[in-house]
Amino acid sequence: NGGLLEGLTTNFFVVRASEDTAQEVQTAAPSDGVLPGVMRNVVLHCCEQLGLRVVERAPNIVHERELWEEAFLTNAVRIIRPVLSISKPKGIPYEQDEAVHISFSYEDIGPTTRRIWQAVKVELERRAIEP
């Protein structure tokens, strides 16, 4: 159906335009079958702190891709990895439930992903020094 849920060890997020033109952060919900990772929860907390609306529904590459402004993956080791591109092997439409190929680039990080990343770093430092 085109929904992107997660990677083998990552959660997938997009920053997208909403109907009222405000930005929102979208990621699949645990009810979609994704693992509610520690870093995923930190990112959701930081999005709320930054005033970003969060939508917990699988981002859909078939029907909503034109709304995506940025994308990133999270996990406990690499924190946030900005997504540069998403593609399928030639000849396989996105509607088929097959793996996609994702490319990364820290040099091309979007402004909202950068704000989230900075907030996450501050939050992780805060948590590290709390007793």
Side-chain angles (χ1 to χ4, degrees), residues 4-8 14 17-18 20 36 41 44 47 56 62 64 67 70 76 82 84 88 99 111 115-116 122 125:
L4 293 179
L5 301 177
E6 61 186 355
L8 293 174
V14 298
S18 66
D20 63 5
N41 292 334
L44 294 177
C47 287
E56 289 191 81
V62 175
E64 301 172 335
L67 299 174
E70 304 170 31
L84 178 63
K88 294 279 280 188
R115 284 180 53 217
I116 295 168
V122 169
E125 289 173 8

Side-chain angles (χ1 to χ4, degrees), residues 45-95:
H45 169 78
C46 289
C47 287
E48 289 178 13
Q49 297 296 311
L50 292 169
L52 294 168
R53 187 177 352 182
V54 173
V55 174
E56 289 191 81
R57 180 174 42 82
N60 191 295
I61 198 165
V62 175
H63 304 292
E64 301 172 335
R65 174 64 184 97
E66 68 280 355
L67 299 174
W68 299 1
E69 297 171 355
E70 304 170 31
F72 60 92
L73 299 174
T74 64
N75 75 13
V77 175
R78 301 201 185 222
I79 315 299
I80 291 178
R81 287 194 70 157
V83 171
L84 178 63
S85 67
I86 301 171
S87 62
K88 294 279 280 188
K90 280 189 171 189
I92 299 177
Y94 282 105
E95 292 85 358

